[in-house]
Amino acid sequence: MKPDIRDRADIQHLVDTFYTKVRADETIGYLFNDVARVNWEVHLPRMYDFWENIVFQTGGFKGNPMVAHVQLHQKSPLTAEHFQHWLKLWLSTVDELFEGEKTELIKQRARSIATMMQIKVHPSNDPRSIM
């Protein structure tokens, strides 16, 4: 049996594992590496704060991810396939590492976030296709 997500250390492990996969991913890696040119030393701690706030309601995240994704979409169009792939990769990474109540919560929230991001950055994409 795998552990449930218990604390920030678990969030960090999940986020680090996920973004290691993202950086090497053929479908979405280029968006992070070549288009957004993510500064990982800055981005990863923000993602720890973001997901820790999502799961544990810490209030530690400050920022507007929607604006960043709209700006990214203006540089390189984000498609339904991108959102589907991001979600599939996230869910498989979560399932690989954890199981339990908080694990189910983070997966449900990721589905909601992916849907809302898709609606905001590209309203003509059908968000039901990523569920």
Side-chain angles (χ1 to χ4, degrees):
M1 185 168 177
K2 295 176 239 175
D4 198 0
I5 298 170
R6 299 167 303 231
D7 54 25
R8 184 176 176 92
D10 288 340
I11 296 290
Q12 287 178 273
H13 179 52
L14 170 59
V15 168
D16 288 344
T17 302
F18 173 72
Y19 280 110
T20 296
K21 293 177 183 182
V22 164
R23 286 185 238 189
D25 189 82
E26 291 182 14
T27 303
I28 61 173
Y30 79 95
L31 290 166
F32 293 84
N33 299 321
D34 303 327
V35 179
R37 297 182 182 208
V38 171
N39 177 337
W40 294 105
E41 290 179 18
V42 172
H43 188 67
L44 291 174
R46 294 197 71 192
M47 292 299 92
Y48 305 152
D49 291 345
F50 177 80
W51 287 106
E52 184 181 34
N53 186 54
I54 292 291
V55 176
F56 300 110
Q57 300 176 3
T58 58
F61 178 75
K62 305 291 183 240
N64 188 338
M66 209 60 76
V67 169
H69 288 84
V70 167
Q71 290 171 347
L72 179 61
H73 176 65
Q74 292 169 349
K75 293 179 182 177
S76 181
L78 301 175
T79 67
E81 179 187 22
H82 292 129
F83 288 98
Q84 291 168 358
H85 193 75
W86 177 91
L87 185 60
K88 179 181 174 185
L89 193 59
W90 177 260
L91 296 176
S92 67
T93 304
V94 172
D95 286 339
E96 173 186 312
L97 300 173
F98 300 103
E99 62 185 33
E101 184 180 331
K102 296 293 185 189
T103 301
E104 291 306 311
L105 174 66
I106 206 169
K107 292 189 313 184
Q108 182 275 324
R109 296 286 168 82
R111 288 181 190 100
S112 297
I113 290 165
T115 299
M116 290 308 300
M117 288 280 184
Q118 185 174 349
I119 290 168
K120 294 289 186 182
V121 302
H122 200 286
S124 64
N125 285 346
D126 181 3
R128 293 170 289 188
S129 67
I130 65 173
M131 301 314 266

